[in-house]
Amino acid sequence: MQVGYARTSTEEQVAGLEAQVRDLKSAGCEEVYTEQVSALGDRKELDRALKFLRKGDTLVITKIDRLARNTRTLADIVDGLHGRGVGLKVLQFGKDTLDTTGAYGRLMLNMFAAFAEFERDLMRERQKEGIAKAKAERKYKGRKPTARAKAGEAVVLFQQQKTVSEIAASLGIGRASVYRALAAAGLK
């Protein structure tokens, strides 16, 4: 059985998620797990997909970065799959599809994962340089303070008898941010 996994980093990337699901179904996936969460976050649907897979099945993804952010994580996932007799297929691997059930596919996956990680590291270095330059020119504003912008909403929801967890989930902010907003308002 082919089992698909699709992921985008944010909820705003609806079209990207829909495109992944379309491609996975076109590739013959009978079951598709989807989620919109950062690769660094808790990926419950990936965990569900991995638990669902049985010997002889294949996990299908559209691109490597949908599954892992670095070579170590990718290797851990692939080793876990192969140890259980489960294959991995990457649909968009350059112009080809990559199947890791063979030695050649596994080699190619490791090489390209290393290149992707290298590229991400270079991008981070360029980003740091840009931020340093903007700070030196006093043009750097930093990340938009999402949680602070929603502090008023958090207080209103708390006054409507919502729990901190409910408030955090509905506003898309962390529980600690909710507690800070309530403390600033003198409520907790």
Side-chain angles (χ1 to χ4, degrees):
M1 176 179 202
Q2 292 195 94
V3 176
Y5 173 69
R7 181 189 63 80
T8 58
S9 298
T10 65
E11 292 183 14
E12 291 82 30
Q13 297 172 314
V14 176
L17 188 65
E18 290 172 351
Q20 288 178 58
V21 171
R22 178 197 65 225
D23 293 348
L24 292 168
K25 287 185 177 179
S26 293
C29 292
E30 300 170 48
E31 192 78 31
V32 177
Y33 292 83
T34 66
E35 60 191 337
Q36 294 179 288
V37 62
S38 166
L40 303 174
D42 187 22
R43 297 184 292 166
K44 293 177 183 170
E45 290 302 305
L46 175 60
D47 293 340
R48 285 186 59 220
L50 294 174
K51 287 177 186 168
F52 180 82
L53 291 160
R54 300 291 177 252
K55 185 175 183 173
D57 289 348
T58 301
L59 177 63
V60 183
I61 56 175
T62 55
K63 295 180 181 177
I64 293 173
D65 66 345
R66 301 299 84 206
L67 186 61
R69 297 283 291 173
N70 57 51
T71 53
R72 177 174 289 155
T73 304
L74 180 64
D76 289 346
I77 292 171
V78 173
D79 288 345
L81 291 172
H82 288 181
R84 295 171 38 212
V86 175
L88 173 67
K89 186 186 286 185
V90 183
L91 298 179
Q92 297 169 15
F93 197 76
K95 293 182 181 179
D96 298 318
T97 297
L98 178 74
D99 189 338
T100 66
T101 54
Y104 177 74
R106 198 112 174 205
L107 171 67
M108 294 302 294
L109 178 70
N110 288 328
M111 286 176 38
F112 278 93
F115 285 128
E117 186 173 358
F118 174 68
E119 182 180 10
R120 254 191 321 278
D121 289 344
L122 288 177
M123 185 177 66
R124 279 191 206 112
E125 286 178 12
R126 288 191 300 269
Q127 182 182 25
K128 285 180 184 178
E129 289 170 4
I131 289 171
K133 181 179 181 221
K135 283 181 177 179
E137 295 171 358
R138 300 194 188 280
K139 292 181 181 178
Y140 182 71
K141 293 184 171 75
R143 193 178 91 186
K144 186 177 178 183
T146 308
R148 277 188 247 145
K150 296 180 179 182
E153 293 175 72
V155 170
V156 169
L157 290 172
F158 184 76
Q159 291 170 335
Q160 294 173 353
Q161 306 302 311
K162 301 287 184 191
T163 67
V164 171
S165 294
E166 290 171 335
I167 296 167
S170 69
L171 296 179
I173 60 177
R175 290 170 36 95
S177 297
V178 174
Y179 283 117
R180 278 192 295 276
L182 296 176
L187 295 173
K188 240 185 178 192

